[in-house]
């Protein structure tokens, strides 16, 4: 057995004999959070086992793959398709720069799909190697919890393995959810959407979250007719309202048909495609109907009831600030806890778990100022508070600085699409509470801004930073005049 | 001495009292700022006196003590309407000063008689350069797009004329915008060549203007060394406005301008040879970046000739040019471009006669407030050869306007100025190089990442990204950040805020990444690539730390 950490020994003073556990840690689910927790725990000297379902691009109750959603069915394949789709617009933009291209550009979906699959298979292999290099034992099969310190892995051939573990970590992630409407089986989720055999000509997307918006951009960029239906007035609920409107405007300008405040009520199979019926009585025919109506935690088949692990009403595993469930030996990280469902957050949670349990250092994940990105075309990225949140939370007036400009590339390409940037500042402390941007390179630009915000940077510190010229990012350090001031009472002041 | 001007007996109006309260800051600044009170106004010119704005008449009184009030045509006369000049003029006018600026007529190529409102950045630098970079980057994007399933029945061809026409239309638009900006700020724009006659008088093509303060912001111009055949060479001005595509270009120089043009011409399908004197490009940059960018550019088809100095250019009968260097001769160039530095535009400005001191390169010597050796004459931007970047000229211009017209003496702050090279791939950097950091701080940790970006794994191109953080061991502060790879310039800006704010490596580590991006690498660098220690005693401890770090 690997070297034990001091803290671990201290913990074992509570009458438990540690020697009889097969593992110090058994992780169910080898996605971002699970792999991180497993590796780091092993690096701290723990003996770690991990189980994961067999690999396939499309997940199910019995299929998954090392790497998890991010690598196989999320961030990575999505970003690859976004790259592919973004060329559509970029190549059009080349013409005014003097490039002579064929009137209609050929795009080979099968080639992109094939290369995407190759890439995720490669990454799946890398993740497996990461685990084995860290000394983590990988089991292929479905994991279940049979006791507070006992897991059972059902292997592919049906044989069951049973292991005892001092700690069990649930990191099974989440899966796309389908609305209960007639004909829902005709629709697909993001899993299938990332692996379609043919590129749809007419796509209908139901949902207003980031997944819906990203697929709308992907398919539109590759030439499809796209109709996006969502329940609210604007897509991307929860994001800064002004930026939501910017995204909506950009999507429309790129040729996506938006249907706000509209629900799908029924899908019917016809010879011509899928007939889509909305609650406004509209009817459309589509080749593909994508449900991007949210994701639900993968907690059903883990047998959690048997050991008494509490779930919330969405099925998310309830945890404390250290990611511990109500059963002291069972922990959970990542999407299955439905805290903030982002890969880097799952990584942070996994790291903190390993430090807390095996590293001798109590470590709570810190959810403040976590940046995120929506890879729509063009993308949106933000960190900190939205204007609405800032107004709600701030004790003093809120200053909003915005900059709307034509990116330099567009001056010649002729593309009519403005980049919008925004800083939300606490007038009392001068602290920058939130930053957001919608425009090319926004996610790359926001990362450094996120470091500044995380450490409480003030507007004065932004202003004292010299710009990098000519860049889009320099706008963040050259915003001199306040666009508006919102007083504590919430009423915009006049004359500003 | 500094206080004499404030104890003058004329302090009566309330506004003046407040003003002097604000002026108390003046006391703490170097004597140059207050000494000008007794130096000027010994001449009177027969010029129509323009109405002075009240604020500065008042100010003049307080500065002059009991001396008679001198009227000037303008509070500020700026020579040169580039980035620094326009910024200083606008801000000065916003603070209530009466301001005039003179600038030469517009042309894409600068000379003794041509320039244009907007200056180098807008007309012959940053902007046209970046537009050309955009244009030239497409050829790489076409290659990339192949890997993502896009296909071209015929290879994309580039039409040079379309690009030049669209680029020049944009430059015309921008010079117009700059004129409007000046106009809207109430700045008087005078077209012509400004020359300083005396400490308060400027001659613009024969017409004289007086001003309380004169600002020199005439920038710099490309410099071509005098070698046989140098008349056949072009500089960056011409390179940005060639009538047709250059088939085969030699670029002499290894600085950022040379690299940017190498990328531009290479992308626009010219054959490109770069001749550099040193072993590596970009002297003064971080050594690893220098190496990395050279390799990446060579992979994209640029031929580098290292340690080769040009000796002469010969034009052959067929019109092609050959470049002779210390190592041999390369023939068949359609164009030979020199990117061998820029020199301050200080000739024929009348500087010597009024006593404005210059250094041996012709750059105007200024103090920390951008003041020259003549108290009423100031200089900002490339003509002072401090850090020759547009945003720095803007900072200097903004600081000067505050110093002169807002009673707020302001020194430009040159710490942690970020910059970018728009080579292909581009470079972004802020703070110290590894070499500088070692010299200044001794013990540093260096974190590097050298990876193939997601885009390249699909495109199949050999593109890589290099990133580097330099951390002070004693304080944990991030001293320097360097990157070469796609989006480097955009990525670096936000980190520049963090570095300027003095943030630590721990602060970087505490920040959650944005996934999947390249930029997230900067917040996920856990293990130092190397630990540099000056003091051998710390060696043992270091070994221990290294192990601990590697374990995580």
């Amino acid at each position: 057995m690997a070297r034990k950490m001091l803290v671990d020994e201290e913990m074992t003073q509570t009458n438990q004999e540690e020697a009889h556990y097969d593992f110090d840690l058994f992780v169910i689910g080898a996605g971002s959070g699970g792999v991180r927790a497993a590796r780091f725990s092993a690096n701290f000297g723990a003996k770690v086992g991990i189980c994961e379902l067999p690999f396939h691009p499309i997940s199910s109750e019995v299929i998954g793959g090392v790497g998890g959603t991010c690598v196989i069915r999320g961030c990575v394949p999505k970003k690859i398709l976004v790259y592919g789709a973004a060329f559509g617009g970029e190549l059009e933009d080349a013409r005014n720069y003097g490039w002579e291209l064929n009137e209609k550009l050929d795009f080979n979906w099968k080639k992109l799909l094939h290369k995407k699959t190759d890439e995720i298979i490669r990454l799946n292999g890398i993740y497996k190697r990461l685990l084995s290099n860290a000394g983590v034992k990988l089991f292929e099969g479905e994991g279940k919890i049979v006791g507070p310190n006992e897991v059972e892995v059902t292997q592919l051939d049906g044989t069951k393995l049973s292991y005892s573990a001092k700690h069990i970590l649930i990191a099974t992630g989440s899966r796309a959810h389908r609305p209960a409407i007639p004909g829902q089986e005709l629709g697909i989720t993001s899993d299938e959407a990332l692996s379609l055999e043919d590129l749809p000509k007419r796509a209908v997307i139901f949902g207003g979250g980031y997944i819906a918006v990203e697929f709308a951009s992907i398919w539109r960029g590759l030439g499809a007719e796209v109709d996006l239906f969502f329940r609210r007035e604007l897509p991307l609920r929860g994001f800064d309202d002004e930026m939501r409107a910017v995204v909506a405007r950009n999507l429309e300008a790129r040729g996506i048909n938006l249907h706000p405040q509209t629900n799908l009520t029924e899908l019917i199979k016809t010879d011509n495609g899928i007939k889509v019926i909305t609650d406004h009585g509209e009817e459309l025919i589509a080749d593909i109907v994508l449900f991007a109506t949210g994701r639900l935690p993968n907690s059903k088949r883990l047998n959690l009831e048997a050991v008494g692990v509490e779930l919330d009403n969405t099925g998310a595993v309830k945890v404390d600030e250290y990611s511990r469930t109500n059963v002291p030996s069972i922990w959970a990280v990542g999407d299955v806890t439905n805290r903030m469902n982002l890969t880097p957050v799952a990584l942070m949670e996994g790291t903190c778990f390993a430090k807390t349990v095996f590293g001798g250092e109590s470590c709570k994940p810190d959810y403040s100022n976590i940046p995120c990105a929506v890879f729509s075309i063009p993308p949106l990225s933000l960190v900190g508070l939205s204007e609405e949140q800032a107004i709600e939370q701030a004790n003093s007036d809120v200053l909003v600085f915005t900059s709307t400009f034509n990116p330099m590339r567009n001056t010649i390409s002729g593309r009519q699409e403005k980049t919008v940037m925004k800083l939300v500042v606490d007038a009392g402390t001068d602290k920058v509470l939130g930053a957001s941007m919608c425009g090319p390179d926004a996610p790359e630009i926001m990362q450094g801004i996120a470091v500044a915000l995380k450490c409480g940077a003030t507007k004065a510190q932004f202003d004292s930073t010299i710009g990098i010229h000519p860049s889009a990012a320099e706008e963040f350090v050259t915003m001199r005049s306040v666009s508006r001031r919102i007083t504590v009472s919430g009423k915009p002041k006049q004359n500003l | 001495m500094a206080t004499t001007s404030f104890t003058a007996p004329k302090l009566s109006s309330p506004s003046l009292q407040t003003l002097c309260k604000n002026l108390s800051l003046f006391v703490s600044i170097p004597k140059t700022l207050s000494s000008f009170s007794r130096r000027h106004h010994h001449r009177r010119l027969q010029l129509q006196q323009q109405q002075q704005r009240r604020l500065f008449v008042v100010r003049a009184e307080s500065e002059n003590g009991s001396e008679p009030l001198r009227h000037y045509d303008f509070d500020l006369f700026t020579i040169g309407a580039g980035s620094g000049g326009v910024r200083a003029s606008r801000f000065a006018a916003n603070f209530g000063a009466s301001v005039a600026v003179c600038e030469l007529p517009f042309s894409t190529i600068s000379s003794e008689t041509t320039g244009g409102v907007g200056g180098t950045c807008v007309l012959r630098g940053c902007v046209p350069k970046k537009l050309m970079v955009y244009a030239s980057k497409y050829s790489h994007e076409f290659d990339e797009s192949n890997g993502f399933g896009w296909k071209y029945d015929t290879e994309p061809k580039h039409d040079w004329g379309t690009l030049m026409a669209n680029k020049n239309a944009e430059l015309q638009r921008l010079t117009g915008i700059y004129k409007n900006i000046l106009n809207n700020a109430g700045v008087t724009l005078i077209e012509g060549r400004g020359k300083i006659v005396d400490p308060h008088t400027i001659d613009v093509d024969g017409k004289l203007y007086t001003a309380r303060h004169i600002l020199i912001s005439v920038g710099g111009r490309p410099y071509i060394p005098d070698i046989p055949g140098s008349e056949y060479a072009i500089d960056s001005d011409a390179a940005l406005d060639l009538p047709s595509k250059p088939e085969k270009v030699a670029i002499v120089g290894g600085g950022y301008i040379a690299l940017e043009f190498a990328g531009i011409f290479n992308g626009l399908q010219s054959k490109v040879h770069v001749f550099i004197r040193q072993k590596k490009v970009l002297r003064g940059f971080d050594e690893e970046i220098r190496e990395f960018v050279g390799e990446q550019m060579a992979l994209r088809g640029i031929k580098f000739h290292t340690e080769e100095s040009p000796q002469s250019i010969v034009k052959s009968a067929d019109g092609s040019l050959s470049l002779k260097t210390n190592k041999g001769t390369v023939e068949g160039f359609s164009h030979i471009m020199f990117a061998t530095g820029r020199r301050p535009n200080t000739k024929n400005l009348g500087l010597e006669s009024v006593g404005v001191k210059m250094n041996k390169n012709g750059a105007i010597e200024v103090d920390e407030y951008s003041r020259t050796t003549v108290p009423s004459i100031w200089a900002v931007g490339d003509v002072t050869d401090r850090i020759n970047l547009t945003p720095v000229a803007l900072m200097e211009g903004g600081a000067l306007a505050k110093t002169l017209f807002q009673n707020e003496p302001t020194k430009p702050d040159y710490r942690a100025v970020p910059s970018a090279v728009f080579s292909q791939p581009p470079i972004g950097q802020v703070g110290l190089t590894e070499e500088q950091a070692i010299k200044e701080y001794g013990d540093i940790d260096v974190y590097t990442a050298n990876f193939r970006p997601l885009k390249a794994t699909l495109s199949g191109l050999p593109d890589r990204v290099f990133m580097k953080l330099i951390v002070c061991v004693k304080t944990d502060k991030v001293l320097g950040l360097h990157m070469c790879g796609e989006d480097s310039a955009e990525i670096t800006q936000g980190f520049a805020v963090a570095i300027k704010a003095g943030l630590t490596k721990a602060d970087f580590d505490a920040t959650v990444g944005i996934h999947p991006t390249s930029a997230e690498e900067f917040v996920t660098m856990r293990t130092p690539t190397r630990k540099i220690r000056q003091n051998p005693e710390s060696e043992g401890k270091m070994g221990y730390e290294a192990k601990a770090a590697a374990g995580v």
Side-chain angles (χ1 to χ4, degrees):
Chain A
M1 164 137 189
R3 171 170 62 97
K4 290 301 292 181
M5 303 302 293
L6 262 184
V7 163
D8 239 359
E9 284 169 20
E10 280 163 21
M11 287 167 80
T12 61
Q13 284 171 2
T14 58
N15 305 336
Q16 283 186 11
E17 294 274 303
E18 64 170 279
H20 67 249
Y21 293 117
D22 298 320
F23 292 99
D24 296 317
L25 171 67
F26 199 97
V27 182
I28 304 178
S32 306
V35 169
R36 170 61 63 95
R39 282 175 55 210
F40 278 31
S41 297
N43 285 341
F44 284 130
K47 186 182 181 192
V48 184
I50 191 167
C51 70
E52 175 58 64
L53 299 167
F55 172 86
H56 192 275
I58 299 171
S59 66
S60 74
E61 301 287 0
V62 292
I63 284 172
V66 173
T69 304
C70 170
V71 175
I72 301 169
R73 284 172 298 273
C75 321
V76 174
K78 170 265 300 278
K79 182 101 190 255
I80 289 172
L81 296 189
V82 169
Y83 274 136
F87 283 116
E90 277 167 33
L91 299 177
E92 285 307 316
D93 289 354
R95 297 182 199 275
N96 275 345
Y97 278 96
W99 290 98
E100 291 162 1
L101 304 171
N102 305 51
E103 192 63 32
K104 192 146 180 5
L105 296 167
D106 271 351
F107 172 72
N108 182 337
W109 170 254
K110 289 230 159 50
K111 180 172 177 185
L112 179 58
L113 187 70
H114 178 72
K115 294 190 78 166
K116 180 221 70 170
T117 305
D118 284 352
E119 174 62 8
I120 62 176
I121 288 170
R122 189 181 74 88
L123 290 173
N124 174 253
I126 288 180
Y127 269 75
K128 283 185 179 169
R129 263 205 310 284
L130 277 177
L131 287 171
S132 76
N133 289 348
V136 175
K137 177 116 177 76
L138 172 65
F139 300 89
E140 197 166 74
E142 187 180 5
K144 275 191 172 58
I145 295 180
V146 275
N149 296 96
E150 185 128 19
V151 291
E152 182 185 272
V153 181
T154 309
Q155 293 181 290
L156 293 185
D157 59 7
T159 55
K160 290 185 174 165
L161 303 172
S162 192
Y163 294 104
S164 62
K166 188 157 173 215
H167 299 281
I168 296 169
L169 177 66
I170 304 166
T172 48
S174 62
R175 286 229 313 282
H177 146 88
R178 294 158 175 268
I181 60 168
Q184 57 90 4
E185 71 283 355
L186 298 171
I188 59 170
T189 69
S190 55
D191 283 9
E192 294 87 1
L194 287 165
S195 293
L196 290 176
E197 279 306 315
D198 297 296
L199 182 66
K201 286 200 174 61
R202 303 160 298 177
V204 160
I205 300 172
F206 185 31
Y210 76 95
I211 298 173
V213 164
E214 289 175 345
F215 275 100
S217 289
I218 289 168
W219 284 332
R220 182 65 199 143
L222 296 175
E225 179 77 13
V226 178
D227 286 86
L228 179 62
F229 295 84
F230 45 96
R231 296 190 185 107
R232 308 271 161 169
E233 243 169 278
L234 290 168
L236 297 176
R237 184 161 65 97
F239 289 84
D240 186 283
D241 282 346
E242 189 176 14
M243 302 313 275
R244 294 170 67 190
V246 172
V247 172
R249 197 162 67 228
N250 289 343
L251 293 178
E252 253 182 332
R254 295 249 178 178
I256 294 161
N257 306 312
L258 301 189
H259 304 263
Q261 295 178 298
T262 311
N263 280 305
L264 299 194
T265 51
E266 192 179 357
L267 306 185
I268 300 163
K269 192 171 182 177
T270 72
D271 291 344
N272 201 10
I274 304 165
K275 186 198 268 186
V276 178
I277 301 173
T278 76
D279 60 356
H280 292 183
E282 292 164 277
E283 291 187 6
L284 276 93
I285 297 287
D287 306 313
I288 287 286
V289 178
L290 168 67
F291 294 122
T293 41
R295 297 177 63 88
L296 291 177
N298 267 339
S299 57
K300 282 210 186 95
R301 290 164 61 104
L302 285 167
N303 199 31
L304 294 177
E305 309 78 357
V307 285
V309 170
E310 278 180 33
L311 306 179
D312 73 9
N313 54 10
T314 64
V317 176
K318 284 193 190 174
V319 289
D320 68 10
E321 287 174 305
Y322 295 94
S323 302
R324 192 174 218 154
T325 72
N326 60 316
V327 177
S329 59
I330 301 179
W331 311 68
V333 297
D335 289 8
V336 77
T337 62
N338 196 24
R339 283 174 283 183
M340 201 176 280
N341 300 333
L342 294 169
T343 291
V345 171
L347 296 178
M348 170 174 69
E349 290 167 356
T351 305
C352 284
F353 162 82
K355 281 188 182 169
T356 302
V357 179
F358 300 105
E361 176 192 348
S362 288
C363 176
K364 288 183 203 174
D366 175 1
Y367 296 91
S368 68
N369 287 307
I370 290 176
C372 69
V374 177
F375 288 92
S376 46
I377 301 175
L380 168 71
S381 190
L382 0 69
V383 57
L385 305 182
S386 66
E387 181 176 340
E388 295 73 33
Q389 290 168 329
I391 292 168
E392 206 182 291
Q393 295 175 22
N395 296 319
S396 38
D397 291 2
V398 171
L399 305 176
V400 179
F401 296 79
T402 56
S403 174
T404 301
F405 60 95
N406 201 23
M408 192 191 276
R409 188 184 196 129
N410 294 359
T411 59
I412 284 189
S413 72
R415 179 174 291 283
Q416 299 295 312
E417 189 172 82
K418 299 267 197 260
T419 288
V420 180
M421 288 180 172
K422 180 167 178 173
L423 287 178
V424 179
V425 177
D426 184 313
T429 61
D430 197 40
K431 268 194 187 167
V432 178
L433 303 174
S436 45
M437 169 176 180
C438 183
D441 303 326
E444 299 287 357
I445 290 171
M446 200 56 64
Q447 185 70 72
I449 303 286
V451 178
L453 255 74
K454 182 83 186 178
C455 301
T458 60
K459 180 66 169 57
Q461 283 172 322
F462 272 69
D463 295 344
S464 76
T465 306
I466 304 292
I468 293 178
H469 188 69
S471 67
E474 68 181 319
E475 286 292 317
F476 271 127
V477 299
T478 55
M479 292 175 160
R480 273 193 308 274
S481 30
V482 182
S483 305
R484 56 189 169 272
R485 181 184 194 110
I486 297 96
T487 57
V488 184
S489 63
K491 282 183 195 157
K493 251 184 201 165
Q494 300 302 305
N495 304 327
L496 264 164
Chain B
M1 166 184 155
T3 49
T4 53
S5 37
F6 306 115
T7 52
K10 288 191 179 175
L11 308 179
S12 52
S13 80
S15 68
L16 190 55
Q17 279 165 357
T18 9
L19 187 66
C20 288
K21 220 181 277 167
N22 295 336
L23 279 173
S24 62
L25 270 171
F26 270 51
V27 178
S28 62
I29 62 165
K31 56 178 177 253
T32 45
L33 261 185
S34 46
S35 63
F36 70 93
S37 54
R38 54 186 63 183
R39 295 277 290 272
H40 56 58
H41 69 69
H42 294 300
R43 297 169 49 110
R44 251 180 194 273
L45 283 158
Q46 272 110 41
L47 279 169
Q48 285 195 327
Q49 300 294 325
Q50 291 201 350
Q51 227 188 344
Q52 290 286 307
R53 293 186 197 189
R54 194 165 34 84
L55 176 65
F56 300 109
V57 175
V58 172
R59 172 120 179 260
E61 278 181 77
S62 74
E63 284 165 358
N64 293 342
S66 56
E67 291 176 87
L69 183 64
R70 163 89 193 261
H71 283 287
Y72 296 103
D73 298 337
F74 297 101
D75 296 318
L76 175 68
F77 194 103
T78 304
I79 305 178
S83 305
V86 168
R87 172 58 61 95
S89 300
R90 274 176 61 205
F91 279 30
N94 286 340
F95 296 146
S98 72
V99 184
V101 59
C102 70
E103 176 58 65
L104 298 167
F106 172 86
S107 167
T108 53
I109 315 276
S110 66
S111 72
E112 287 289 301
T113 54
T114 54
V117 173
T120 304
C121 169
V122 176
L123 306 177
R124 285 172 295 278
C126 322
V127 174
K129 171 265 300 276
K130 184 102 190 256
L131 293 174
M132 303 268 287
V133 168
Y134 279 131
S136 58
K137 248 180 81 180
Y138 282 112
S139 58
H140 192 66
E141 283 170 31
F142 299 143
D143 289 345
E144 287 178 321
S145 68
N146 279 325
F148 284 85
W150 293 88
K151 230 173 43 200
Y152 308 92
D153 289 343
T154 50
E155 273 302 298
K157 257 182 43 200
H158 188 254
D159 180 63
W160 191 265
T162 304
L163 175 61
M164 286 301 117
N166 288 343
K167 179 210 65 163
N168 286 337
E170 174 61 11
L171 299 191
Q172 289 285 2
R173 190 182 73 87
L174 289 174
T175 193
I177 286 178
Y178 270 74
K179 283 185 185 172
N180 281 339
I181 286 175
L182 287 171
N183 192 29
N184 293 343
V187 174
T188 307
L189 173 64
I190 300 161
E191 194 168 84
R193 193 167 207 294
K195 198 171 168 168
I196 296 174
V197 178
D198 72 34
H200 293 282
T201 311
I202 306 95
D203 173 324
V204 183
D205 298 338
K207 215 171 160 204
L208 298 181
Y209 302 89
T210 60
R212 172 173 303 280
H213 300 288
I214 296 172
L215 172 62
I216 306 167
S217 50
V218 292
R221 287 232 306 278
Y223 161 79
I224 296 182
D226 192 19
I227 60 166
S230 64
E231 67 272 20
Y232 301 122
I234 59 168
D235 61 18
S236 58
D237 285 8
L240 285 167
D241 202 27
L242 292 174
S244 60
K245 178 186 135 183
E247 292 304 326
K248 184 177 173 186
V249 199
I251 297 176
V252 179
Y256 79 95
I257 298 175
L259 293 200
E260 290 178 342
F261 277 94
I264 287 169
F265 290 131
N266 186 53
L268 294 174
Q269 303 172 325
S270 305
K271 288 193 184 70
V272 180
H273 292 246
V274 179
F275 295 82
I276 58 176
R277 262 186 305 191
Q278 313 234 329
K279 277 200 180 117
K280 284 187 251 176
V281 296
L282 290 177
R283 187 158 62 94
F285 284 67
D286 188 274
E287 290 296 323
E288 275 181 290
I289 290 283
R290 295 177 68 183
E291 215 152 285
F292 184 86
V293 73
E295 284 165 14
Q296 284 285 307
M297 290 180 73
L299 283 172
R300 295 194 188 190
I302 292 163
K303 168 86 180 133
F304 284 96
H305 302 260
T306 56
E307 298 180 280
E308 281 200 52
S309 297
Q311 290 177 341
S312 63
I313 299 171
V314 178
K315 191 167 190 167
S316 55
D318 65 357
S320 75
L321 302 169
S322 45
L323 181 70
K324 184 173 178 295
T325 72
N326 54 320
K327 283 191 177 169
T329 301
V330 187
E331 295 175 333
F333 291 112
S334 61
H335 294 76
I336 295 179
M337 175 189 170
F338 273 69
T340 39
R342 297 174 61 86
R343 293 278 160 92
N345 266 339
T346 43
K347 280 194 193 129
N348 301 322
L349 273 174
L351 297 177
E352 299 82 357
S353 63
V354 289
V356 171
K357 210 174 150 200
M358 288 172 275
N359 72 14
K360 59 180 191 315
N361 296 324
I364 295 176
E365 290 187 5
V366 289
D367 69 9
E368 286 175 304
Y369 296 92
S370 301
R371 187 177 226 161
T372 71
T373 45
V374 176
S376 61
I377 302 181
W378 311 71
V380 298
D382 289 6
V383 77
T384 62
D385 197 20
R386 285 175 281 185
I387 298 179
N388 298 333
L389 294 169
T390 292
V392 171
L394 296 177
M395 168 173 69
E396 291 167 354
L400 179 69
K402 276 189 187 166
T403 300
L404 292 180
F405 302 109
Q406 218 187 18
N407 306 323
E408 197 185 321
T410 305
K411 291 181 201 176
D413 177 359
Y414 296 92
R415 282 177 307 123
V417 172
S419 65
V421 177
F422 291 94
S423 45
Q424 298 176 40
I427 296 167
Q429 59 165 19
V430 56
L432 305 182
T433 64
E434 182 173 341
E435 298 71 35
Q436 290 168 334
I438 292 171
K439 223 164 143 189
E440 217 168 300
Y441 291 90
D443 293 358
I444 57 164
D445 287 347
V446 179
Y447 296 78
T448 59
N450 184 331
F451 61 94
R452 196 174 189 201
L454 182 57
K455 204 175 199 171
T457 58
L458 258 84
S459 72
L461 299 176
D463 299 351
R464 296 189 71 84
V465 175
F466 177 75
M467 287 175 161
K468 179 166 183 174
L469 280 182
I470 297 157
V471 178
C472 179
V473 171
K474 206 170 148 200
T475 60
D476 196 40
K477 274 193 183 164
V478 178
L479 302 172
L481 176 147
H482 306 265
M483 170 173 182
C484 181
E486 197 174 346
D487 300 327
S488 291
E490 300 289 357
I491 289 171
T492 304
Q493 184 70 72
F495 290 103
V497 178
I499 289 173
K500 178 89 182 195
L503 299 189
T504 61
K505 180 64 168 61
D507 294 326
F508 274 61
D509 296 345
T511 305
V512 174
I514 299 177
H515 190 69
T517 60
S518 290
E520 67 181 318
E521 285 294 318
F522 274 131
V523 299
T524 54
M525 291 175 154
R526 274 192 306 273
T527 314
T529 309
R530 57 188 166 273
K531 295 175 161 235
I532 293 154
R533 299 293 180 271
Q534 300 304 300
N535 179 4
E537 276 171 38
S538 59
E539 208 64 36
K541 201 178 158 212
M542 178 198 93
Y544 165 75
E545 278 168 4
K547 229 178 274 163
V552 186

